[in-house]
Amino acid sequence: LKGTKYGLKDTQGYSTIDEFKECFPKMLALGERVLKQNDGANAKGYWHVECLTPCKEDCVPLDWKVKCTEAIDNHVEEHCLSDFMTMCEKYFDGKDSMLLDRRF
């Protein structure tokens, strides 16, 4: 839907962990994000991510603290951005795996 009147301009799909690690800090600098694993049919792998303190840069630094809420049980975790992105590597393990990133 990206590029159509139905999709948000700042929605991104990541098919590799390298692409995610390169692009996600820039997208997070735009504001709160929602990450969905694959098709997001259930709440597993569905994260709301926000900076604990606002970032005024074009790219959130890797050591920046983020608040991450998983939808499946609404638990909250705080990580530095690099650790959270490393934790997301498991979402790229399977065939045709991906993460969908959209604004909150």
Side-chain angles (χ1 to χ4, degrees):
L1 294 175
K2 190 173 184 174
T4 71
K5 65 181 181 178
Y6 302 105
L8 299 172
K9 292 181 183 185
D10 62 348
T11 298
Q12 181 74 36
Y14 308 112
S15 56
T16 67
I17 188 63
D18 292 334
E19 181 182 22
F20 174 63
K21 287 183 174 184
E22 178 183 337
C23 298
F24 185 67
K26 298 171 194 163
M27 300 302 283
L28 185 58
L30 300 173
E32 297 175 47
R33 308 299 297 174
V34 173
L35 293 172
K36 293 178 8 177
Q37 176 188 9
N38 289 330
D39 63 5
N42 61 35
K44 186 176 181 183
Y46 196 126
W47 291 94
H48 171 252
V49 184
E50 61 185 301
C51 294
L52 285 176
T53 56
C55 180
K56 306 286 187 211
E57 305 297 322
D58 292 338
C59 184
V60 175
L62 296 178
D63 62 350
W64 209 260
K65 290 288 190 180
V66 293
K67 176 182 170 184
C68 310
T69 306
E70 188 173 27
I72 197 163
D73 60 4
N74 222 23
H75 81 275
V76 175
E77 299 179 13
E78 292 182 7
H79 298 279
C80 68
L81 179 57
S82 64
D83 289 345
F84 174 72
M85 291 191 301
T86 297
M87 184 186 78
C88 289
E89 287 181 5
K90 63 186 173 191
Y91 300 130
F92 296 95
D93 285 347
K95 183 178 184 251
D96 300 324
S97 295
M98 65 166 294
L99 276 178
L100 179 66
D101 169 14
R102 65 172 180 84
R103 78 176 97 138
F104 179 69

